[in-house]
């Protein structure tokens, strides 16, 4: 059994009230550790630790902050295997994915913002004819809160922490209680890299106890959150009247729009990935596939064939494509949607069943599932499933597909497959999404604005947008 502890003032600490939660291994359904269910007192202790570190950290030179963040990045790379194994065990994702994507990206987050802060600049405005000059300071906010989900645990945890620290803030952070392990290990790396004590504090526990204490804390002035839309709405209700800065990166129900003039093989292979990567548990997955009618039958046949060939297996096996879903309750939620699809006259073209892996019979495995839906209004096309389930349906014209693509409450990302430049320009302008990928999917450049519109969130992460979020602008006007 592994006992995870809070990381406060550079030390590993038990929760003050002594409340603990079980930590499950999704690949076999066994409890393999305990994590604190931290109370208000723990969050207060983390806050005080952060507050006491702020005056010094906010005055640390950019070169020194940059050096420490890049050192953390190097240590993550040096510990790739250990972190990837921990991530895979905690989350159920294939170890190959954790090694190739999750941990390298967590390292990149620290390296990227370690470099970006040395290039971040503010503006000046000369008030011509009035003998005055304005310059704008970008000052760190103080103590900020970072709350992250379970699907890309260290990847998303560090995507928030790295810019917050780079900008000179001190942080109280909470990873998902479902996947706390790599955030726990990160504390060790931060100490080794020489991050001063108190600059980063990591508290573990349920959203309703620990998370709630963070968002309610009167002196935690900004909250950066990634997770479900309902939770995001709750956080906004609590934090907005306290005038906290908010960055909310929420759910998606992203259209994957395939025109007949696309590069077919590239589209097909990428569509398998955009449907089922990380067991479909990425907010950017293209869960609604719309295919131009003239190639619909061919696509249906080829796609189903490829999906059937995916191997559902234990996350530690090198050839596993689909690992375990993150939790028993999430597996039940995804299965319920497959039943809803059947009730709504959807046709399950492949998958739909739980998978039993020999030796790991209590793990949370599900076949990758493709459902042909009769229309776009059905619940499986409107609600976020967040699992290895996609829908497919044909469309007749650009106008029809655009209307369907936009007719959801979400607006995170959209993928477009076409070789027509004019169509690309038209559709990219009209799609209601924060991110549009054309002839690719999830190609990430960390300098670009990342986030959604409508129920997919508020604000943008990434690049200088993130550094702007984690700083307050103060304009100074000098008359001469
Ligand atoms: N990035 C995304 O788009 C994600 C979307 N989801 C969606 O949300 C659904 C629900 O998943 P959950 O695990 O329940 O996500 P969630 O939104 O409840 O959890 C995300 C984080 O928020 C925290 N949290 C929960 N309640 C809170 C509160 N009152 N105050 C502060 N923090 C709080 C959680 O502890 C976790 O760290 C999923 O089925 C999926 O559809 C889930 C994870 C990521
Ligand atoms: O690449 C990113 O920065 C983010 C990817 C995915 C999510 O935010 C998510 O699935 O929540």
């Amino acid at each position: 059994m592994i006992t995870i502890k809070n990381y406060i003032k550079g030390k590993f600490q038990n929760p003050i009230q002594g409340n603990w939660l079980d930590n499950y291994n999704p690949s076999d359904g066994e409890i393999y550790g305990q994590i604190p269910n931290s109370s208000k007192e723990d969050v207060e202790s983390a806050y005080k630790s952060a507050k006491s570190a702020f005056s010094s950290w906010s005055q640390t030179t950019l070169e020194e902050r940059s050096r420490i963040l890049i050192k953390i990045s190097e240590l993550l790379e040096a510990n790739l295997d250990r972190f990837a194994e921990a991530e895979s065990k905690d989350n159920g994702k294939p170890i190959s994915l954790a090694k190739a994507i999750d941990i390298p990206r967590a390292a990149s987050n620290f390296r990227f913002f370690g470099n970006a802060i040395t290039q971040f600049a503010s503006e000046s405005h000369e008030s011509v004819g009035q003998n005055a000059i304005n310059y704008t300071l970008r000052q760190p906010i103080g103590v900020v809160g970072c709350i992250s989900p379970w699907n890309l645990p260290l990847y998303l945890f560090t995507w928030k922490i790295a810019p917050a620290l780079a900008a000179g803030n001190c942080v109280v952070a909470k990873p998902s209680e479902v996947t706390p392990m790599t955030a726990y290990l990160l504390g060790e790396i931060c100490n080794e890299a020489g991050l001063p004590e108190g600059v980063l504090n990591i508290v573990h526990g349920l959203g309703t106890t620990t998370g709630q204490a963070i968002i309610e804390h009167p002196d935690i002035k900004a909250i950066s959150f990634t997770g479900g839309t309902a939770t995001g709405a709750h956080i906004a209700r609590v934090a907005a009247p306290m005038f906290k800065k908010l960055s909310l990166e929420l759910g998606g129900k992203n259209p994957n729009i395939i025109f007949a003039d696309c590069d077919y093989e590239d589209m097909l292979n990428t569509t398998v990935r955009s449907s089922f990567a990380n067991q479909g548990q990425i907010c950017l997955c293209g869960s609604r596939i719309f295919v131009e009618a003239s190639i619909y039958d061919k696509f249906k046949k080829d796609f189903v064939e490829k999906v059937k060939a995916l191997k559902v297996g234990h996350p530690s096996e090198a050839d596993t494509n689909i690992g375990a879903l993150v939790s028993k309750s999430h597996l039940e939620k995804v299965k319920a949607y497959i039943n809803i699809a059947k009730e709504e006259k959807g046709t399950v073209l492949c998958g739909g069943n739980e998978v039993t892996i020999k030796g790991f019979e209590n793990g949370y495995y599900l076949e990758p599932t493709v459902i042909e839906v009769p229309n776009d209004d059905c619940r499986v096309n409107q609600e976020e499933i967040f699992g290895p389930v996609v829908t497919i349906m044909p469309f007749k014209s650009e106008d029809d597909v655009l209307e369907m693509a936009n007719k959801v409450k979400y607006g995170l990302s959209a993928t477009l497959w076409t070789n027509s430049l004019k169509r690309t320009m038209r559709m990219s302008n009209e799609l209601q999404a924060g991110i549009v990928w054309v002839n690719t999917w999830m190609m990430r450049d960390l300098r670009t604005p990342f986030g959604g519109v409508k129920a997919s969130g508020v604000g943008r992460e990434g690049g200088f947008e993130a550094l702007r979020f984690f700083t307050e602008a103060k304009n100074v006007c000098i008359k001469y």
Side-chain angles (χ1 to χ4, degrees):
M1 292 284 267
I2 298 170
T3 303
I4 283 176
K5 298 191 175 192
N6 290 330
Y7 174 70
I8 298 175
K9 232 180 188 350
K11 313 266 176 325
F12 291 94
Q13 306 189 8
N14 287 333
I16 292 165
Q17 291 188 359
N19 294 327
W20 297 87
L21 303 166
D22 292 332
N23 191 22
Y24 286 82
N25 178 344
S27 75
D28 59 14
E30 302 288 324
I31 294 169
Y32 80 103
Q34 300 265 292
I35 76 161
N37 188 15
S38 305
S39 62
K40 261 189 167 170
E41 288 86 341
D42 298 297
V43 169
E44 184 58 25
S45 161
Y47 166 75
K48 284 194 174 129
S49 157
K51 171 91 179 131
S52 67
F54 179 68
S55 58
S56 166
W57 181 247
S58 58
Q59 291 306 313
T60 302
T61 62
L62 300 185
E63 288 71 19
E64 177 65 358
R65 278 187 225 158
S66 172
R67 190 190 64 73
I68 294 173
L69 294 187
I70 290 171
K71 182 74 188 163
I72 295 173
S73 157
E74 289 166 355
L75 288 170
L76 281 172
E77 282 162 354
N79 285 278
L80 173 69
D81 288 349
R82 182 172 171 233
F83 272 77
E85 276 157 29
E87 200 72 298
S88 171
K89 184 168 181 178
D90 221 19
N91 172 279
K93 67 177 70 207
I95 184 132
S96 55
L97 192 71
K99 260 189 198 162
I101 304 286
D102 290 76
I103 307 308
R105 171 61 189 272
S108 295
N109 290 339
F110 279 108
R111 176 169 287 108
F112 175 83
F113 283 107
N115 287 319
I117 195 61
T118 66
Q119 306 299 314
F120 189 45
S122 59
E123 298 168 320
S124 75
H125 299 86
E126 187 183 357
S127 301
V128 176
Q130 297 183 81
N131 288 351
I133 181 109
N134 295 269
Y135 64 91
T136 308
L137 294 171
R138 278 274 164 190
Q139 296 180 314
I141 296 169
V143 179
V144 300
C146 297
I147 301 177
S148 60
W150 44 257
N151 56 329
L152 300 167
L154 195 66
Y155 174 136
L156 291 176
F157 194 59
T158 55
W159 184 226
K160 299 176 179 308
I161 289 169
L165 297 179
N169 301 284
C170 293
V171 175
V172 175
K174 191 193 92 63
S176 170
E177 62 277 23
V178 186
T179 52
M181 194 64 206
T182 47
Y184 171 58
L185 298 179
L186 181 68
E188 284 176 18
I189 296 275
C190 289
N191 285 349
E192 202 179 332
L195 187 73
E197 63 181 37
V199 171
L200 172 64
N201 303 275
I202 302 172
V203 279
H204 296 271
L206 294 173
T208 45
T209 52
T210 320
Q212 187 71 21
I214 295 173
I215 62 170
E216 280 176 352
H217 196 290
D219 296 313
I220 296 180
K221 297 290 188 195
I223 304 288
S224 175
F225 168 80
T226 298
T229 292
T231 313
H234 170 78
I235 291 175
R237 276 192 296 274
V238 173
M242 300 168 86
F243 307 109
K244 291 177 196 276
K245 274 186 116 175
L246 278 183
S247 168
L248 303 174
E249 205 276 280
L250 310 175
K253 192 72 191 175
N254 311 303
N256 179 6
I257 303 169
I258 299 166
F259 284 92
D261 70 345
C262 68
D263 291 337
Y264 189 81
E265 282 306 312
D266 190 13
M267 174 280 294
L268 192 62
N269 291 326
T270 309
T271 293
V272 172
R273 212 164 47 83
S274 66
S275 303
F276 299 112
N278 205 40
Q279 297 69 245
Q281 300 167 144
I282 305 180
C283 62
L284 306 162
C285 280
S287 50
R288 291 184 297 152
I289 304 176
F290 299 105
V291 187
E292 193 165 12
S294 60
I295 59 162
Y296 183 72
D297 288 340
K298 176 173 168 51
F299 172 82
K300 182 163 117 177
K301 180 174 159 295
D302 294 345
F303 183 58
V304 167
E305 196 177 300
K306 277 201 178 285
V307 174
K308 279 184 175 165
L310 293 173
K311 184 186 162 198
V312 180
H314 191 272
S316 67
E317 286 178 13
D319 60 346
T320 289
N321 303 114
I322 310 273
L325 270 66
V326 75
S327 66
K328 179 90 180 141
S329 61
H330 192 57
L331 172 69
E332 294 305 328
K333 172 190 156 175
V334 177
K335 276 173 28 191
Y337 271 106
I338 296 172
N339 286 334
I340 290 169
K342 289 177 190 161
E343 285 161 18
E344 289 182 317
K345 308 259 179 295
T347 308
V348 177
L349 300 175
C350 66
N353 302 304
E354 269 188 73
V355 178
T356 305
I357 309 276
K358 199 160 180 290
F360 307 99
E361 286 78 5
N362 294 324
Y364 317 135
Y365 300 94
L366 186 66
E367 289 171 336
T369 302
V370 181
I371 302 171
E372 185 174 47
V373 287
N375 59 61
D376 185 51
D377 296 330
C378 55
R379 283 183 64 193
V380 280
N381 258 35
Q382 293 293 320
E383 297 174 20
E384 188 180 47
I385 301 175
F386 215 69
V389 178
V390 288
T391 65
I392 64 170
M393 63 174 284
F395 67 86
K396 288 204 183 73
S397 70
E398 194 177 305
D399 285 347
D400 287 349
V401 77
L402 196 55
E403 191 185 329
M404 291 190 289
N406 287 339
K407 224 173 85 189
V408 282
K409 69 175 184 174
Y410 298 104
L412 187 55
S413 70
T415 306
L416 192 57
W417 290 95
T418 179
N419 274 313
S420 159
L421 179 60
K422 287 189 175 173
R423 176 156 48 215
T424 298
M425 303 302 286
R426 276 194 305 270
M427 299 239 353
S428 304
N429 277 339
E430 295 300 324
L431 282 163
Q432 294 171 1
I435 302 148
V436 178
W437 278 296
V438 183
N439 300 329
T440 184
W441 176 73
M442 217 173 158
M443 186 179 251
R444 297 284 288 114
D445 180 326
L446 303 189
R447 294 169 300 177
T448 59
F450 179 89
V453 297
K454 305 198 286 188
S456 291
V458 175
R460 293 291 180 273
E461 301 188 293
F464 292 151
E465 294 280 349
L467 295 176
R468 280 191 276 270
F469 173 76
F470 282 115
T471 50
E472 285 287 5
K474 181 193 283 176
N475 192 64
V476 181
C477 176
I478 305 175
K479 186 151 173 21
Y480 53 90

